[in-house]
Amino acid sequence: MTDSKYFTTTKKGEIFELKSELNSDKKEKKKEAVKKVIASMTVGKDVSALFPDVVNCMQTDNLELKKLVYLYLMNYAKSQPDMAIMAVNTFVKDCEDPNPLIRALAVRTMGCIRVDKITEYLCEPLRKCLKDEDPYVRKTAAICVAKLHDINASMVEDQGFLDQLKELLSDSNPMVVANAVASLTEINEASSSGQPLMELNASTINKLLTALNECTEWGQVFILDALSQYSPKDEREAQSICERITPRLAHANAAVVLSAVKCLMKFMELMVSDSEFVKNLSKKLAPPLVTLLSSEPEVQYVALRNINLIVQKRPDLLKHEMKVFFVKYNDPIYVKLEKLDIMIRLASEANIIQVLSELKEYATEVDVDFVRKAVRAIGRCAIKVETSAERCVSTLLDLIQTKVNYVVQEAIVVIKDIFRKYPNKYESIISTLCENLDTLDEPEARASMIWIIGEYAERIDNADELLESFLEGFHDENTQVQLQLLTAIVKLFLKRPTDTQELVQQDSDNPDLRDRGFIYWRLLSTDPGAAKEVVLAEKPLIAEETDLIEPTLLDELICHIASLASVYHKPPSAFVEGRTGLRRALPKTSGSDGESSGDNQQQAPQPTVIPNQDSLIPDLLNMDINAPPVIPQASQPAYSGGTLDLLGGGLDSLLGGGGADVGAAPAAPGVPPTATSSAGLLGDIFGIGSSSTPVYSPPKQVWLPANRGKGMEISGTFSRKNGNISMDLTLSNKAMQPISGFAIQLNKNSFGVTPAAPLNVAAPLAPNQSIDVSLSLSTNGPVQRMDPLTNLQVAIKNSVDVFYFATVMPIHIFFTEDGAMDKRVFLSTWKDIPSQNEVQFNIENINLNADGLSTTDGISNKLQSCNVFTIAKRNVEGQDMLYQSIKLTNGIWVLTELKVQPGNPTIVLSLKSRATEVAQGIFEAFDGILHS
């Protein structure tokens, strides 16, 4: 009897009966009971109440029963973590079992149980299994390391599992090598560092190539993918690798074939393009690609999408294989359309007659979408192969004569492009086109016909009448048609003014249309001659291939052949959320200058041009809110010794990553290392004692009102205390239901601000309740220039939704505690900065009689509480002058001068910095601190 009996509906009291059967002394009855439990679990019934009873069944020698119990455990361990601990001893014991199948099963199951408490017990058994004598156990353990890394990455690194994985690359068993490669690749892609874990050198590559011949097909795919990321040291090594990979082209599995093609395409870039080796390799690449088109339609489609990329990169590869891309009557529409696209790419003078014959046949098919694409393809062939243009136009005219509505409309659209490509050559057919005016009902076709009438108005006697027929329903037309009609009428007016006077005047609510109309009106009323030169100027010829993929993107996609990226024709970062890692690219061709390309590669990771803020919105929307925050490494001290260049780096250092070596201030004699010692020194020199002035923090503002936050209101401010920056939030629930599950993510910003810890909100936030939360921040995140400079885009997630808002951070939170500069260094630096970098502001309405501001010492103390350090002070003609230094978290220095005149409520602030972009923020910080 089959196992279907376990899925039949059972009577009441099922759980109770199963419980008694699971505790039965008879092994067969116990096995039957576990099968019933698994069957219930499979159809969606909750059998978690049987957890302890099923776990008790683990103590068995029966492999089938053990597998069933482990399957149950994997499913319910997450919901019953405390109960799952009961199974740990059995797991550990099974990892020592004489049977390798049981050892592998135990370590595999422990890796699949995503419970933190269990992962602690997994380390020792996993370490033993990675060195197990049986290759089956080793290969299972290798995959388990990747699963463990996904649960707890730091544990994998601390326990040395990555080093053990790398050792497995030298294993004698090819499947162990393949799984080690797969695991390392998976870990590498999940790693935030983006640094490759596998050191691909000649020795490692040789081991991988040896394993390639003997492992399973999926093992081969993993190894080929790893090989594709290797950069051979010279052309000879590239040729050697290609020779060993080439036999994989004959494999029955399409994934192996495409992975091999990817490797060969990459290594061919390192060889001289017209060498004998490349020619022979090109001949070997074509047959396997053609063979893929004999597979089922889904595989065909994937193959065609990859071939589309390959043909764009190397058109000669398949130039003799046009016939295999001819459409079959029973091909699905998605295959037909893809084949058409490749046919056009391969069209040349040698095969154009054959291609046109096929396309004309396709244009009589019944599938409307396919027919439209076929008609457009004829037009593209005319533009691509000049010698065929006349034949293509003749074919299009024949199709127009069929009077099939959608065929006629597509033909007119492509004929417009042919006129653009070959001006004054085929205008004799315009009369035929005009005969079909009444049948045009699609916006693109109507717009194309209007363009033709306007462009060739002098050749069409009744052009004004034809355009007038379009004007009758002007307000009902599509915007595209209205814009084209306006331009055509202006062209006609410039060519035949007397016929068009009435046509020019129309009214519209569309702003685009009105703006274009205003421009034309002003041109015509100001200088008709200039209008003629602008509107009737010669048009640039259109390109042969308008839908080619941009070269840089194409190179990246070639590196992703045999993956989803090659099917979507998009880089992985466009559709995989939270994807990190290095962007793949083809190596420089062998013909390029090695030295210059090397220099370029070295400079590439440090671009001086910061991406525009316009690109930030998609960044913010694609953020993985659920991901744990990246806890940055402690930053290196800014002082690193060397020559004095306190303000070197300028804006580049502000926006170039904030590293210690970029724009950081080197040590200078007398510059104190910490804030406490600097305060002491200043106290000795200037008589400033240690101040107990409270640290300034701006008042909280509403960042997210309740009406935008679906009941959640967020107010907040920023503060800096003892060198730590924090975002101080007040979360208010003004909705009717509790809110929970809070998480926060910050977008890239000018100072690299990122959460130093997760957002910790205790328990659900009840209705009409508010809670104050402080989020610790660091400045070691990714840097992106913002406008204004301290703008911060925030995403907050809760149980209701994800909400986005932006706020401006006060720049004083980036003033560091080690910003006190030596007097002599201050003086020389002030002189070194050009005078055009000096900016002056007036701080108005300062109450100098207020407590704490009545003396310059009081002003100094107040500013020093925010890490603005007074270096010197003097009195000049009754004015008190204070000289101060500020250091920002990214190593930029700002020098300031304050002029305070007794009785005058206006204080004059002058500041100098290599990065003048910070000036406005510094002024606002001083204004806020002194008014607080």
Side-chain angles (χ1 to χ4, degrees):
M1 191 173 178
T2 64
D3 287 344
S4 60
K5 62 182 179 179
Y6 300 113
F7 291 89
T8 55
T9 309
T10 52
K11 51 196 174 298
K12 290 182 181 178
E14 179 184 18
I15 298 291
F16 180 77
E17 287 185 12
L18 286 172
K19 197 178 186 78
S20 61
E21 288 178 18
L22 287 168
N23 292 309
S24 171
D25 295 332
K26 297 179 181 176
K27 288 185 179 179
E28 275 307 310
K29 200 168 185 180
K30 193 179 280 191
K31 189 162 80 172
E32 292 292 305
V34 173
K35 285 186 177 181
K36 286 178 187 175
V37 171
I38 298 296
S40 298
M41 181 181 82
T42 306
V43 296
K45 291 181 182 176
D46 183 12
V47 285
S48 57
L50 298 169
F51 198 95
D53 304 288
V54 175
V55 169
N56 287 337
C57 297
M58 285 178 72
Q59 305 290 345
T60 177
D61 297 329
N62 188 306
L63 185 59
E64 185 185 3
L65 180 56
K66 201 175 276 286
K67 281 183 178 179
L68 291 169
V69 174
Y70 280 180
L71 189 62
Y72 177 90
L73 272 172
M74 280 189 269
N75 196 49
Y76 282 115
K78 200 164 187 180
S79 60
Q80 306 262 359
D82 295 328
M83 300 289 285
I85 294 293
M86 294 166 51
V88 165
N89 286 335
T90 309
F91 280 131
V92 175
K93 185 181 171 186
D94 283 353
C95 286
E96 305 279 350
D97 196 276
N99 187 340
L101 292 176
I102 290 179
R103 296 201 298 275
L105 182 63
V107 77
R108 178 192 289 126
T109 309
M110 285 183 83
C112 291
I113 296 176
R114 303 176 65 81
V115 176
D116 288 337
K117 292 179 181 177
I118 285 189
T119 53
E120 297 170 15
Y121 297 95
L122 172 60
C123 293
E124 208 48 50
L126 180 57
R127 187 174 285 108
K128 289 179 181 175
C129 288
L130 283 167
K131 296 181 178 178
D132 198 279
E133 59 185 20
D134 192 281
Y136 181 76
V137 180
R138 293 200 302 275
K139 85 178 184 68
T140 307
I143 294 295
C144 189
V145 174
K147 292 178 180 176
L148 182 60
H149 184 274
D150 192 40
I151 303 166
N152 192 333
S154 58
M155 182 187 287
V156 169
E157 291 164 14
D158 296 343
Q159 295 287 337
F161 288 132
L162 292 180
D163 293 328
Q164 282 190 272
L165 264 186
K166 290 174 189 174
E167 288 172 16
L168 290 183
L169 293 174
S170 306
D171 199 277
S172 57
N173 187 284
M175 270 317 298
V176 176
V177 175
N179 279 18
V181 169
S183 196
L184 283 168
T185 305
E186 186 73 25
I187 293 169
N188 202 56
E189 298 214 341
S191 170
S192 56
S193 67
Q195 295 299 318
L197 294 174
M198 271 191 293
E199 295 177 12
L200 293 175
N201 49 41
S203 170
T204 311
I205 292 298
N206 193 43
K207 291 168 188 170
L208 295 184
L209 287 167
T210 304
L212 184 64
N213 298 321
E214 300 173 41
C215 61
T216 65
E217 52 197 21
W218 296 113
Q220 291 180 37
V221 171
F222 289 128
I223 290 175
L224 287 167
D225 192 51
L227 289 170
S228 71
Q229 296 178 51
Y230 175 61
S231 298
K233 59 179 182 288
D234 54 32
E235 186 177 348
R236 180 176 291 181
E237 187 184 6
Q239 288 183 3
S240 171
I241 295 171
C242 287
E243 284 172 353
R244 296 179 70 176
I245 290 174
T246 306
R248 300 301 103 206
L249 294 173
H251 203 283
N253 187 305
V256 176
V257 173
L258 285 174
S259 295
V261 169
K262 170 172 61 181
C263 291
L264 297 174
M265 287 287 291
K266 185 170 181 180
F267 294 143
M268 282 166 75
E269 290 295 307
L270 296 165
M271 305 173 199
V272 179
S273 56
D274 56 352
S275 67
E276 199 62 37
F277 187 88
V278 171
K279 288 177 184 174
N280 290 335
L281 202 54
S282 299
K283 288 176 186 173
K284 291 176 183 175
L285 276 172
L289 291 173
V290 169
T291 305
L292 291 177
L293 300 182
S294 306
S295 312
E296 52 271 24
E298 293 79 9
V299 176
Q300 277 189 58
Y301 179 72
V302 172
L304 287 165
R305 293 293 283 174
N306 282 277
I307 288 169
N308 200 326
L309 296 173
I310 292 164
V311 165
Q312 288 184 55
K313 186 68 184 173
R314 292 187 175 269
D316 294 342
L317 267 185
L318 294 163
K319 64 181 179 183
H320 300 303
E321 306 291 345
M322 175 63 84
K323 281 190 177 180
V324 298
F325 299 106
F326 286 173
V327 172
K328 297 174 185 172
Y329 75 95
N330 59 347
D331 280 339
I333 182 65
Y334 54 87
V335 171
K336 286 181 177 179
L337 296 177
E338 204 58 40
K339 281 185 173 179
L340 260 183
D341 209 30
I342 295 170
M343 281 174 66
I344 299 159
R345 297 204 192 287
L346 294 176
S348 63
E349 290 185 21
N351 57 26
I352 193 66
I353 296 172
Q354 202 177 15
V355 171
L356 273 180
S357 172
E358 279 288 313
L359 293 176
K360 189 174 181 181
E361 194 71 33
Y362 301 159
T364 61
E365 289 278 340
V366 292
D367 193 314
V368 176
D369 288 337
F370 180 53
V371 171
R372 286 176 181 276
K373 182 107 175 184
V375 175
R376 293 218 174 194
I378 294 170
R380 284 175 63 187
C381 287
I383 292 166
K384 184 177 181 185
V385 185
E386 189 171 347
T387 54
S388 73
E390 195 165 337
R391 190 185 292 270
C392 291
V393 171
S394 174
T395 304
L396 289 169
L397 284 176
D398 290 345
L399 293 172
I400 289 173
Q401 297 304 330
T402 63
K403 301 295 182 185
V404 177
N405 185 269
Y406 54 85
V407 174
V408 171
Q409 303 202 76
E410 287 295 330
I412 287 174
V413 172
V414 296
I415 285 172
K416 180 203 76 171
D417 292 337
I418 292 171
F419 284 170
R420 286 280 309 276
K421 177 71 175 175
Y422 308 110
N424 305 316
K425 200 167 183 182
Y426 300 109
E427 284 75 9
S428 57
I429 67 169
I430 291 175
S431 57
T432 310
L433 302 181
C434 291
E435 291 169 9
N436 296 280
L437 266 183
D438 297 336
T439 64
L440 305 181
D441 54 16
E442 293 174 9
E444 193 176 4
R446 289 172 74 82
S448 298
M449 192 67 230
I450 292 166
W451 181 88
I452 292 169
I453 295 169
E455 190 69 16
Y456 301 102
E458 71 278 8
R459 304 187 188 198
I460 305 170
D461 296 334
N462 61 337
D464 54 333
E465 294 173 16
L466 296 175
L467 290 178
E468 194 167 6
S469 68
F470 286 103
L471 281 174
E472 290 168 5
F474 181 80
H475 294 292
D476 300 325
E477 294 283 8
N478 181 282
T479 304
Q480 177 187 8
V481 178
Q482 290 179 333
L483 289 167
Q484 197 60 261
L485 195 51
L486 174 62
T487 304
I489 289 170
V490 173
K491 287 179 182 175
L492 180 62
F493 175 76
L494 290 168
K495 292 176 181 179
R496 290 155 51 181
T498 53
D499 298 344
T500 329
Q501 196 68 43
E502 295 176 8
L503 300 182
V504 175
Q505 298 162 9
Q506 287 286 338
D507 60 336
S508 172
D509 293 330
N510 185 314
D512 292 339
L513 195 60
R514 278 167 38 209
D515 286 351
R516 188 180 288 194
F518 278 133
I519 290 170
Y520 285 148
W521 176 254
R522 286 170 185 150
L523 267 173
L524 291 167
S525 57
T526 308
D527 187 351
K532 204 164 189 173
E533 286 180 21
V534 172
V535 179
L536 301 180
E538 278 191 29
K539 312 291 181 296
L541 299 182
I542 63 173
E544 289 179 5
E545 295 274 6
T546 55
D547 61 342
L548 289 176
I549 294 173
E550 188 267 324
T552 311
L553 175 58
L554 180 62
D555 286 354
E556 185 178 357
L557 293 177
I558 291 290
C559 295
H560 288 290
I561 283 176
S563 73
L564 264 183
S566 66
V567 178
Y568 288 158
H569 287 187
K570 292 179 180 178
S573 56
F575 58 88
V576 181
E577 285 191 20
R579 180 184 169 84
T580 55
L582 295 174
R583 194 173 162 183
R584 296 189 191 180
L586 290 177
K588 296 283 183 185
T589 53
S590 57
S592 63
D593 183 6
E595 291 180 9
S596 62
S597 65
D599 292 343
N600 291 340
Q601 286 171 348
Q602 286 179 350
Q603 293 169 6
Q606 300 174 346
T608 53
V609 180
I610 301 301
N612 199 319
Q613 188 181 350
D614 295 345
S615 64
L616 293 182
I617 295 300
D619 284 355
L620 190 62
L621 296 178
N622 288 333
M623 288 195 298
D624 182 6
I625 304 294
N626 295 311
V630 179
I631 308 300
Q633 299 296 320
S635 58
Q636 294 296 319
Y639 296 103
S640 55
T643 57
L644 177 64
D645 181 15
L646 282 170
L647 295 115
L651 185 59
D652 288 348
S653 63
L654 171 65
L655 302 171
D661 57 336
V662 184
V671 177
T674 64
T676 49
S677 62
S678 65
L681 283 170
L682 287 169
D684 293 343
I685 298 170
F686 300 114
I688 301 173
S690 58
S691 169
S692 59
T693 308
V695 178
Y696 166 67
S697 180
K700 285 185 177 177
Q701 295 177 327
V702 176
W703 290 343
L704 182 71
N707 60 345
R708 278 183 50 218
K710 297 184 181 178
M712 177 179 70
E713 183 182 276
I714 300 176
S715 306
T717 187
F718 296 87
S719 60
R720 183 184 183 97
K721 294 173 186 171
N722 302 322
N724 299 316
I725 302 173
S726 61
M727 178 191 282
D728 304 314
L729 302 167
T730 298
L731 307 176
S732 303
N733 182 1
K734 299 190 176 180
M736 303 297 290
Q737 76 274 7
I739 301 175
S740 59
F742 288 87
I744 193 167
Q745 191 70 283
L746 307 182
N747 206 358
K748 300 173 191 173
N749 52 80
S750 304
F751 287 84
V753 174
T754 189
L759 179 62
N760 191 6
V761 181
L765 191 59
N768 299 317
Q769 183 186 350
S770 295
I771 188 168
D772 291 329
V773 183
S774 185
L775 176 69
S776 183
L777 304 174
S778 76
T779 54
N780 292 84
V783 174
Q784 170 98 40
R785 180 175 182 171
M786 302 296 287
D787 187 18
L789 197 65
T790 55
N791 194 32
L792 180 67
Q793 294 177 333
V794 184
I796 282 199
K797 170 183 171 287
N798 61 26
S799 54
V800 179
D801 204 345
V802 179
F803 304 97
Y804 304 93
F805 60 87
T807 183
V808 176
M809 300 175 284
I811 202 169
H812 78 270
I813 63 172
F814 304 110
F815 296 175
T816 63
E817 285 68 20
D818 58 346
M821 190 181 282
D822 180 84
K823 218 174 187 179
R824 294 180 298 278
V825 176
F826 181 99
L827 187 62
S828 62
T829 308
W830 184 279
K831 290 177 181 177
D832 287 343
I833 300 174
S835 56
Q836 59 263 32
N837 280 35
E838 183 171 355
V839 188
Q840 197 169 84
F841 300 93
N842 288 339
I843 305 174
E844 309 280 358
N845 303 320
I846 298 295
N847 184 4
L848 294 175
N849 297 319
D851 184 30
L853 294 180
S854 55
T855 64
T856 51
D857 285 355
I859 293 172
S860 295
N861 287 346
K862 196 156 198 173
L863 290 169
Q864 187 167 324
S865 69
C866 296
N867 296 331
V868 180
F869 297 95
T870 302
I871 305 303
K873 58 182 177 180
R874 60 189 179 126
N875 188 285
V876 180
E877 297 176 353
Q879 287 189 114
D880 288 315
M881 315 282 279
L882 297 177
Y883 298 92
Q884 290 140 332
S885 66
I886 302 164
K887 182 185 172 192
L888 300 178
T889 51
N890 48 18
I892 284 187
W893 287 81
V894 181
L895 310 185
T896 69
E897 176 193 74
L898 279 183
K899 292 180 186 174
V900 184
Q901 192 163 10
N904 188 344
T906 299
I907 292 179
V908 179
L909 167 67
S910 301
L911 63 87
K912 271 189 170 187
S913 176
R914 301 245 184 236
T916 53
E917 287 77 7
V918 301
Q920 182 63 32
I922 300 289
F923 160 65
E924 289 168 2
F926 271 67
D927 190 77
I929 295 166
L930 294 176
H931 277 106
S932 64

